[in-house]
């Protein structure tokens, strides 16, 4: 090898070593995050790691073939274990009791859940989306006085409504064209955060509708408040005398402590595991996570949860197709 080519060779070798070292570091971080996320029940900080399951999965999908090509057996084993763990959680192979089978259900109703984001000024986009969705009921979150005024045109489609506007990002509203037997705003749990509780009727079948938006679990006390409010939602489900549908921005991913609380002993179930895992917050970014959900008690079930069109918020609306189990 000539002296002229040697510096270039060592430069390329050094760069390759640095890239490999960076890849190893990223994998170690991914493995550590996966491990920490399995202990979310122990501390609110660990619970935050549960939300980024897709990010861990993608990093492992990259790592496994790389380590196979490098013939790094130890790292390949760790990457494969992490890949399997995250894949199992996303597909619902672990903790599958929170998911529901929809094979025997017939279509019953369509519901929309929209976190408009208080400072969002795209009222027209929200109205266009809601009109195009043509749902039986629409639940809104983060509405204030300006949003209450902006949503007035929907009353032509939805003659029944209830609104509590607030300045703290926790205002809520329900618009529906279904027959209403009862419709009220409640303030359960530790916080003053409101929820909508309604008894709705369609085709002679009554069900309880509950729309919620607990505080985000960032910090010790907010995490505690979110969990206490979710305990209150679960208690409502336990006390329900008929089928119940709960929708909203739960600030909880399917793998988080909040979702475990909600589904444990309440008979509330998500729809298909993969469907419930589709991100709704910050969609299209590296931190996108699934925190907007719909859960049902039989004979109601969630046939499908899809994302609606972008309408100026940091969250995408969700369209929920509800079934009735025969």
């Amino acid at each position: 090898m000539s002296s002229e080519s040697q510096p270039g060779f060592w430069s390329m070798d050094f760069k390759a070593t640095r890239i490999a070292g960076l890849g190893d570091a990223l994998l170690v971080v991914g493995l550590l995050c996966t491990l920490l996320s399995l202990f979310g029940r122990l501390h609110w900080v660990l619970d935050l790691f549960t939300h980024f399951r897709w990010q861990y999965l993608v990093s492992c999908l990259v790592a496994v073939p790389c380590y196979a090509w490098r013939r790094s057996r130890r790292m390949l084993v760790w990457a494969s274990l992490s890949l399997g763990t995250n894949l199992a959680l996303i597909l619902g192979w672990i903790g599958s009791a929170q998911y529901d089978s929809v094979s025997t259900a017939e279509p019953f109703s369509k519901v929309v859940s929209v976190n408009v984001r208080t400072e969002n000024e795209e009222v027209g986009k929200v109205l266009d989306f809601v009109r195009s969705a043509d749902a039986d009921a629409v639940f809104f979150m983060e509405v204030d006085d300006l949003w209450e005024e902006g949503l007035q045109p929907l009353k032509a489609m939805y003659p029944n409504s209830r609104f509590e506007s607030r300045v703290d990002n926790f205002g809520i509203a329900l618009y529906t064209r279904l027959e209403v037997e009862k419709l009220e705003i409640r303030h359960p749990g530790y916080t003053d955060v409101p929820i909508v509780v309604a008894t709705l009727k369609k085709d002679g079948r009554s069900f309880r509708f509950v729309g919620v938006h607990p505080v985000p679990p960032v910090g010790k006390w907010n995490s505690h408040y979110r969990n206490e409010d979710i305990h209150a939602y679960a208690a409502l489900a336990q006390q329900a005398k008929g089928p119940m549908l709960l929708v909203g921005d739960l600030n909880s991913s399917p793998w988080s402590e909040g979702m475990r609380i909600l589904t444990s002993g309440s008979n509330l179930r998500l729809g298909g595991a993969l469907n419930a895992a589709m991100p709704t917050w910050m969609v299209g970014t590296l931190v996108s996570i699934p925190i907007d959900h719909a859960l049902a008690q039989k004979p109601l079930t969630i046939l499908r949860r899809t994302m609606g069109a972008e309408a100026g918020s940091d969250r995408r609306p969700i369209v929920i197709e509800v079934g009735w189990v025969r």
Side-chain angles (χ1 to χ4, degrees):
M1 180 179 293
S2 66
S3 59
E4 294 181 355
S5 63
Q6 191 172 1
F9 170 80
W10 286 111
S11 176
M12 290 176 61
D13 187 58
F14 178 69
K15 288 180 180 179
T17 301
R18 289 188 62 184
I19 292 173
L22 178 61
D24 290 344
L26 290 174
L27 176 62
V28 169
V29 170
L31 291 171
L32 180 61
C33 289
T34 297
L35 180 63
L36 292 174
S37 71
L38 299 178
F39 299 93
R41 296 184 61 180
L42 301 181
H43 196 276
W44 70 267
V45 173
L46 297 179
D47 188 47
L48 293 178
F49 286 98
T50 64
H51 302 307
F52 302 97
R53 197 64 61 195
W54 282 109
Q55 288 82 346
Y56 307 152
L57 178 67
V58 171
S59 66
C60 292
L61 285 172
V62 173
V64 166
C66 287
Y67 287 120
W69 178 72
R70 287 172 54 185
R71 298 182 180 178
S72 178
R73 293 184 178 179
R74 181 179 299 176
M75 298 303 288
L76 177 60
V77 169
W78 281 108
S80 299
L81 287 173
S82 184
L83 173 64
T85 299
N86 289 295
L87 187 62
L89 286 165
I90 288 174
L91 294 180
W93 298 339
I94 297 177
S96 59
Q98 72 187 48
Y99 302 107
D100 194 13
S101 171
V102 298
S103 59
T104 60
E106 61 184 19
F108 174 64
S109 184
K110 182 191 287 187
V111 174
V112 162
S113 175
V114 189
N115 185 324
V116 298
R117 195 180 187 189
T118 306
E119 59 268 33
N120 178 18
E121 298 179 353
E122 302 285 355
V123 179
K125 283 187 177 181
V126 173
L127 291 175
D128 289 343
F129 162 71
V130 171
R131 289 179 180 127
S132 64
D134 193 30
D136 292 322
V138 186
F139 176 60
F140 292 99
M141 292 157 283
E142 295 201 20
V143 289
D144 58 8
D145 290 340
L146 292 177
W147 274 102
E148 184 172 9
E149 180 180 351
L151 295 176
Q152 289 299 308
L154 292 178
K155 289 190 174 180
M157 288 180 65
Y158 301 103
N160 302 310
S161 63
R162 184 62 57 89
F163 214 108
E164 181 173 311
S165 61
R166 294 165 62 117
V167 297
D168 60 0
N169 295 335
F170 294 100
I172 56 173
L174 177 66
Y175 286 74
T176 182
R177 62 192 180 198
L178 298 179
E179 180 182 345
V180 174
E181 297 180 349
K182 189 174 183 180
L183 175 54
E184 59 183 337
I185 303 288
R186 296 186 187 178
H187 300 78
Y190 253 48
T191 67
D192 189 45
V193 174
I195 68 172
V196 169
V197 180
T199 302
L200 306 178
K201 191 172 185 179
K202 182 178 181 181
D203 299 333
R205 299 168 175 173
S206 295
F207 67 97
R208 173 173 281 191
F209 175 95
V210 179
V212 303
H213 181 210
V215 298
V218 180
K220 176 182 177 180
W221 289 110
N222 274 355
S223 178
H224 175 71
Y225 294 147
R226 182 206 64 173
N227 291 347
E228 286 299 316
D229 278 354
I230 289 179
H231 273 296
Y233 309 155
L236 275 176
Q238 292 167 357
Q239 297 161 8
K241 296 181 180 179
M244 176 171 151
L245 175 68
L246 184 144
V247 304
D249 174 358
L250 291 171
N251 279 310
S252 304
S253 65
W255 320 287
S256 68
E257 176 65 2
M259 192 62 73
R260 186 198 68 80
I261 292 171
L262 188 58
T263 56
S264 296
S266 69
N267 291 323
L268 283 170
R269 296 292 177 262
L270 294 159
L274 186 60
N275 186 270
M278 292 296 104
T280 57
W281 180 69
M282 299 296 287
V283 175
T285 72
L286 293 176
V287 294
S288 59
I289 56 177
I291 57 175
D292 297 86
H293 299 287
L295 300 94
Q297 286 179 326
K298 286 183 177 179
L300 291 180
T301 188
I302 308 302
L303 295 177
R304 186 179 302 170
R305 186 210 69 163
T306 57
M307 285 189 298
E310 188 280 326
S313 176
D314 57 348
R315 293 164 180 80
R316 296 282 288 275
I318 58 172
V319 180
I320 305 129
E321 296 180 27
V322 183
W324 192 283
V325 178
R326 294 190 291 271

